[in-house]
């Protein structure tokens, strides 16, 4: 589950606006975005739904792994910019187990 969240997180980053002017080198007035190193963020804005999300993912993975089998629908690969993810969202052909 942690690996799934790391590789295919639904949130790749967030935008922030400063409350006072901050000059960063020669880029004044630029908006900035942050990428997450943890799936659910952290600090005061930590995702309040993270326990629910983890339960839902656990239930989904339990059904997927025990009731279905799959093969990759096409070649895919991990990319690391701008975030870690599979390039084509890892398309699969799914089949229900007998
Ligand atoms: C895999 C599922 C989820 C992921 C990866 C995720 C990720 C995140 C992240 C990274 C943030 C922080 C955004 C920031 O710093 O501005 C966030 C905030 C938030 N999440 Fe989630 N989340 C998930 C599921 C959920 C669920 C199931 C709920 C509610 C039932 C939820 C409700 C919220 C709310 C209300 C915030 C805003 C918190 C604030 O601004 O103080 N999330 N989420």
């Amino acid at each position: 589950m942690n690996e799934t969240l790391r590789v295919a997180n639904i949130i790749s980053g967030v935008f922030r606006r400063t409350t006072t002017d901050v000059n960063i080198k020669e880029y004044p007035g630029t908006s900035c975005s942050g990428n997450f190193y943890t799936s659910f963020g952290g600090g005061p804005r930590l995702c309040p739904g993270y326990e629910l999300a983890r339960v839902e993912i656990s239930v989904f993975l339990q059904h997927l792994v025990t009731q279905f089998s799959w093969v990759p629908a096409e070649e895919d690969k991990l990319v690391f910019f701008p975030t870690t993810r599979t390039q084509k969202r890892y398309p699969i052909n799914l089949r229900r187990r007998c």
Side-chain angles (χ1 to χ4, degrees), residues 5 9-11 14 16 36 39-41 44-50 52-53 56-57:
L5 285 168
N9 200 347
I10 55 171
I11 298 178
V14 290
R16 294 283 190 247
F36 288 112
S39 308
F40 297 102
R45 304 297 292 272
L46 172 69
C47 174
Y50 81 98
L52 175 62
E56 288 175 346
I57 295 167

Side-chain angles (χ1 to χ4, degrees), residues 9 11-16 32-42 80-84:
N9 200 347
I11 298 178
S12 51
V14 290
F15 289 96
R16 294 283 190 247
C32 61
S33 69
N35 290 333
F36 288 112
Y37 294 109
T38 60
S39 308
F40 297 102
F80 300 96
F81 184 82
T83 58
T84 303

Side-chain angles (χ1 to χ4, degrees), residues 7-8 72-79 84-92:
V7 172
E74 51 187 290
E75 286 280 313
D76 202 354
K77 66 175 185 178
L78 276 179
V79 292
T84 303
R85 60 190 170 81
T86 49
Q87 195 165 47
K88 299 178 184 173
R89 298 290 183 193
Y90 194 60
I92 57 173

